[in-house]
Amino acid sequence: MDADEATVGGVPELAGEIAEYYGRDGEDGRLRSGVGRLELWRTQDVLRRLLPPAPAHVLDVGGGSGVHAQWLAADGYAVDLVDPVPLHVERAARLSGVTARVGDARALDVPDASVDAVLLLGPLYHLPEREDRVRALAEARRVLRPGGPVVAATINRYAGVHDNLATGLYFDPDRRPQIDASARDGLMRPAAGVKSLFTTAYFHEPEEVPAEFTDAGLGVHGQYGVEGAAWLMGDIGGRLDDPRDREPLLRALRRTESVPSLLGVSGHLLTAGKKA
């Protein structure tokens, strides 16, 4: 826990710089346009194979403004969304078939063994301390019914280097130290006097995530690279626009999604587990 985090009821509140970043309300649009659609569509593809059939009860922890909750509800799932950002909760609560409330992944106000699946498609990004990440995963295990899946998203260790090489920002000497630091120890921190590339976050090595699942009492049964190497293609937006290119692209990524040597190339990784 960072020194600037307040504690309420024994649970640390969201750090101020993270709250400020998501308070800009840019996450919803990021996943609905441009290269962000690749992350959205690939996450959909993987989850539709991992989740129990609708109308199962899905708890979307750290679900933001409801980008994933929206399509899950449209697929027939009963979706409860929990997020620490009030603006996100306000937006998500307007979605048909979705209930939303403010909450913390580390202390869910949800009864034991009451949901069929738990998604953490963001909380682990912004918990720099391993203890907090395991705590969030243990909470997911607690509220899950026997046999249900927990699926957690993480950002890969070299995502900052790859992304900023592709955009050219890596060659800005003011920004490069922040990017290099995230690759060394996994910690992305806003840099004083430099326009922030992101907010406080932890970037995992792929092999770290199963160990955190295990410590939370969860057995891992799969890891899935979300974007593969495709997110680094210069013309990826155009490929996604054209259905003739989009479908073979998504099929290719499915074929390579769990190749161990390729897991860390993706910007994001999904890890799936169940109660051990």
Side-chain angles (χ1 to χ4, degrees), residues 223 255-264:
Q223 288 189 289
R255 284 198 296 271
T256 59
E257 66 188 2
S258 295
V259 177
S261 62
L262 298 178
L263 290 176

Side-chain angles (χ1 to χ4, degrees), residues 71-97:
W71 67 261
L72 286 164
D75 279 2
Y77 289 96
V79 185
D80 286 336
L81 181 146
V82 176
D83 196 87
V85 179
L87 177 61
H88 286 170
V89 171
E90 180 183 340
R91 289 179 64 106
R94 300 177 193 149
L95 299 173
S96 177

Side-chain angles (χ1 to χ4, degrees), residues 177-255:
Q178 182 187 15
I179 301 165
D180 286 343
S182 71
R184 280 195 300 271
D185 62 12
L187 291 174
M188 172 64 75
R189 298 282 190 184
V194 179
K195 184 178 180 182
S196 180
L197 298 166
F198 194 32
T199 186
T200 299
Y202 184 72
F203 295 177
H204 281 78
E205 294 277 14
E207 61 269 21
E208 285 183 277
V209 192
E212 293 179 5
F213 268 59
T214 297
D215 286 355
L218 293 164
V220 173
H221 61 79
Q223 288 189 289
Y224 309 85
V226 176
E227 304 95 341
W231 70 301
L232 303 174
M233 294 167 51
D235 62 345
I236 187 64
R239 299 294 185 188
L240 294 172
D241 289 336
D242 189 340
R244 295 171 299 178
D245 291 340
R246 180 170 64 241
E247 292 309 316
L249 170 64
L250 295 176
R251 286 197 301 271
L253 291 176
R254 182 187 278 205
R255 284 198 296 271

